[in-house]
Amino acid sequence: MSKQVPINIVIADRDFLIKTGLKCLLSKRNDFEITGEANNIAELKDILRLHQPDVLIMDYDQPGAFSIDDLVFITRKYPAIKILVISNNRHKHDIVSTVEFGITSYLLKECGEDEIFDALYATARGQKFFCSQIVENILGRVPAPCQGLTLTERELEIVKLVAEGYTTAEISRMLSRSIHTINTHRKNILNKLGLNNPSELVLYAVKRRLIAA
């Protein structure tokens, strides 16, 4: 049996405790290999010139070290690098901007171990992952529904309920449809839009303005 290749990770954060905590956490599993760490954008640029990781963990909101402009630079110069933002910044405008610039996933620094691992695995696969508080913040910024909708009215209704955090069982009761029917609708919606999971569905709805605040 061939040995699984670990996920290469670079950490970009000026805070010593954050870097130390992430390294300690990732050392618990053999799936990850930290190939670099940067305290500021100059160090990060040097690392990326030599080595492009599978996943870059970055806090872009650190004045004097990293900024959203640095994030834009990286996404444009190294589009193949998947970026997991782990930050304390929960401002709606900044979060939505990072999504529009092309980051893959976004967590808050208060997120727990399981959520960090889930985010890393999803990010490495190219799937978007956002903690629930980030999704709520994004939804709060959406101004109006979209035009030119490709979903049916029933599918749009289900998208809205999923985005609001309702489970399949709850949606089943609310719409007076079986759980099997709701699951079928959800799978059809994901297939129709070319998405992989509910997080990507929520972000698609946000970016296309399918969901009103």
Side-chain angles (χ1 to χ4, degrees):
M1 182 181 296
S2 60
K3 184 177 179 180
Q4 184 176 354
V5 177
I7 298 168
N8 291 322
I9 293 174
V10 166
I11 301 173
D13 196 302
R14 72 179 177 193
D15 294 336
F16 170 78
L17 286 178
I18 294 297
K19 289 197 295 290
T20 302
L22 284 170
K23 288 188 290 184
C24 179
L25 178 65
L26 298 181
S27 69
K28 293 183 178 182
R29 302 192 182 183
N30 296 324
D31 300 335
F32 307 105
E33 180 180 354
I34 298 174
T35 54
E37 53 183 277
N39 295 303
N40 53 58
I41 187 59
E43 292 181 3
L44 180 57
K45 287 180 178 180
D46 287 341
I47 291 171
L48 296 183
R49 274 194 290 266
L50 298 173
H51 173 75
Q52 296 180 35
D54 300 312
V55 177
L56 168 62
I57 300 176
M58 181 178 183
D59 184 353
Y60 67 95
D61 187 32
Q62 297 184 312
F66 301 103
S67 69
I68 198 163
D69 289 336
D70 299 328
L71 187 64
V72 174
F73 168 82
I74 294 166
T75 57
R76 291 178 178 173
K77 187 171 181 63
Y78 304 103
I81 296 178
K82 302 172 184 68
I83 300 177
L84 166 59
V85 167
I86 302 183
S87 177
N88 284 324
N89 188 333
R90 61 182 73 209
H91 295 297
K92 300 171 189 176
H93 175 77
D94 291 342
I95 294 169
V96 173
S97 293
T98 65
V99 173
E100 293 172 345
F101 293 144
I103 65 104
T104 309
S105 305
Y106 199 125
L107 298 180
L108 294 175
K109 287 187 175 178
E110 64 194 58
C111 291
E113 175 177 328
D114 290 341
E115 200 159 23
I116 292 173
F117 280 130
D118 288 344
L120 279 168
Y121 288 124
T123 302
R125 292 192 298 267
Q127 299 175 350
K128 294 186 181 297
F129 190 101
F130 299 83
C131 72
S132 59
Q133 292 188 53
I134 293 302
V135 172
E136 289 171 6
N137 280 351
I138 294 174
L139 292 176
R141 187 180 182 272
V142 179
C146 172
Q147 296 180 353
L149 189 64
T150 61
L151 303 178
T152 67
E153 289 188 15
R154 176 63 75 189
E155 288 170 339
L156 176 58
E157 189 173 16
I158 291 172
V159 168
K160 290 180 178 179
L161 292 173
V162 170
E164 290 168 2
Y166 291 102
T167 66
T168 298
E170 290 170 332
I171 295 173
S172 170
R173 291 193 296 270
M174 295 169 71
L175 300 183
S176 299
R177 295 292 187 272
S178 70
I179 290 178
H180 174 74
T181 297
I182 300 302
N183 274 328
T184 299
H185 275 303
R186 291 182 62 154
K187 290 178 182 177
N188 289 341
I189 292 167
L190 292 176
N191 288 335
K192 181 182 288 189
L193 299 178
L195 304 177
N196 297 296
N197 54 50
S199 291
E200 290 189 8
L201 178 60
V202 171
L203 265 295
Y204 173 90
V206 169
K207 293 173 72 174
R208 295 303 180 91
R209 298 184 178 183
L210 305 181
I211 304 170

